Amino acid sequence: MAEIIVITSGKGGVGKTTTSASIATGLAKRGKKTAVIDFDVGLRNLDLIMGCERRVVYDFVNVVNGEASLKQALIKDKRFENLYVLAASQTRDKDALTLEGVERVLKELEADGFDCIICDSPAGIEKGAFLAMYFADKAIVVVNPEVSSVRDSDRILGLLASKTRKAEKGERIQEYLLLTRYSPARVEKGEMLSVKDVEEVLGLKTIGVIPESSDVLNASNKGEPVILEGASDAAQAYEDAVARLMGEERPMRFVTAEKKGFFSKIFGG
């Protein structure tokens, strides 16, 4: 059985696509045959972050409409043999996807031996977001540690609890919190919510804390998931999140501010 994981949030611009790319890549690195699907019809970005934008011939909507086979539309990653991308359409509107069509694609991926299917959801509570989450077994809710992002994510949790296939069966999707653009120094100054603050409001367990880092933007500009930026804090934080997703215990890093040493204090380093 393929495990279907939706990467979702209430607010746009919090790092869902960056997270989808890195989680999918991290799973593939660990031997899982993984497909990552862009559900953001009309505003696709996943292909850019995965570095395969020039290789998109057919897209998700083409497959749903029977205009292309899944095999024609899936783009095999050049770095990992077991990682594939299914891009969104840039020219259709959000009504181009249907529940039946999405289910057919997911079943075909499962029949092809995929272990993990990552659904990169558009922001908000419209049709695309509903379709991305409907068939999910697990949900990673991506949140910036600010009040508006947390509030909007609370609405998403309501949908996950009521508008999914698991909810219709009286079951619960496994939900995880992933905090992005986290700055412990700003938390200490009271300018940003802490991990504990967000966990208490949303009632979720944190799977990862991604520190505020220019490496994320640099990796996106290179067409590379940031998890591949080996030495960077952001890459290590995503590696930790993937490990926890697979059931490993890891201490939570990047949640406390670095204490300045004696000489740093004197010389302003």
Side-chain angles (χ1 to χ4, degrees):
M1 283 280 287
E3 189 168 62
I4 300 169
I5 304 166
V6 63
I7 313 292
T8 186
S9 77
K11 194 170 181 283
V14 296
K16 278 187 307 302
T17 300
T18 294
T19 297
S20 297
S22 283
I23 296 288
T25 302
L27 289 167
K29 279 176 72 181
R30 286 166 165 261
K32 300 288 186 183
K33 188 177 180 184
T34 305
V36 55
I37 307 174
D38 191 345
F39 275 78
D40 202 353
V41 176
L43 291 170
R44 78 175 185 221
N45 280 311
L46 179 65
D47 54 312
L48 289 169
I49 290 175
M50 294 297 291
C52 62
E53 70 278 6
R54 292 181 183 173
R55 297 169 59 205
V56 178
V57 179
Y58 296 106
D59 57 50
F60 191 14
V61 173
N62 292 139
V63 180
V64 165
N65 289 344
E67 298 157 356
S69 68
L70 181 60
K71 193 173 181 180
Q72 287 175 307
L74 276 177
I75 301 167
K76 190 175 185 177
D77 187 83
K78 289 182 175 178
R79 294 156 293 222
F80 299 96
E81 283 241 336
N82 54 348
L83 179 59
Y84 294 79
V85 178
L86 184 54
S89 170
Q90 275 186 309
T91 57
R92 312 287 181 100
D93 64 27
K94 296 191 188 300
D95 293 325
L97 295 179
T98 64
L99 197 63
E100 299 74 25
V102 170
E103 183 175 27
R104 193 177 71 249
V105 170
L106 295 176
K107 280 184 173 175
E108 200 173 331
L109 287 167
E110 189 169 46
D112 285 348
F114 280 87
D115 301 305
C116 300
I117 302 166
I118 307 297
C119 300
D120 180 21
S121 173
I125 55 174
E126 293 178 6
K127 186 179 180 183
F130 163 71
L131 292 173
M133 72 172 63
Y134 183 77
F135 297 100
D137 302 302
K138 293 180 178 178
I140 296 176
V141 183
V142 183
V143 180
N144 286 163
E146 57 180 59
V147 173
S148 62
S149 179
V150 173
R151 184 184 62 188
D152 289 347
S153 293
D154 198 36
R155 297 183 70 193
I156 290 295
L157 292 177
L159 291 179
L160 288 168
S162 62
K163 300 288 185 184
T164 61
R165 183 168 61 176
K166 275 193 176 288
E168 289 169 3
K169 293 178 182 177
E171 299 171 12
R172 182 99 193 185
I173 287 175
Q174 280 183 267
E175 300 159 348
Y176 303 96
L177 172 67
L178 187 128
L179 280 166
T180 54
R181 297 189 187 135
Y182 194 80
S183 168
R186 292 183 65 194
V187 171
E188 281 191 0
K189 291 176 187 173
E191 297 171 356
M192 189 176 269
L193 298 173
S194 70
V195 174
K196 190 179 177 186
D197 291 335
V198 180
E199 282 183 336
E200 284 179 356
V201 173
L202 297 179
L204 293 183
K205 183 176 169 57
T206 302
I207 198 174
V209 176
I210 315 302
E212 206 162 29
S213 171
S214 59
D215 292 324
V216 175
L217 181 60
N218 294 340
S220 295
N221 288 338
K222 285 195 293 186
E224 192 169 88
V226 72
I227 198 170
L228 297 178
E229 298 284 302
S232 83
D233 288 353
Q236 291 172 47
Y238 274 118
E239 289 281 9
D240 287 351
V242 172
R244 293 187 194 102
L245 187 64
M246 294 184 71
E248 290 180 28
E249 291 284 333
R250 288 205 179 183
M252 197 66 71
R253 297 190 281 172
F254 315 113
V255 294
T256 53
E258 281 186 33
K259 300 296 179 191
K260 284 190 175 183
F262 177 72
F263 289 106
S264 295
K265 287 176 182 173
I266 292 175
F267 298 111

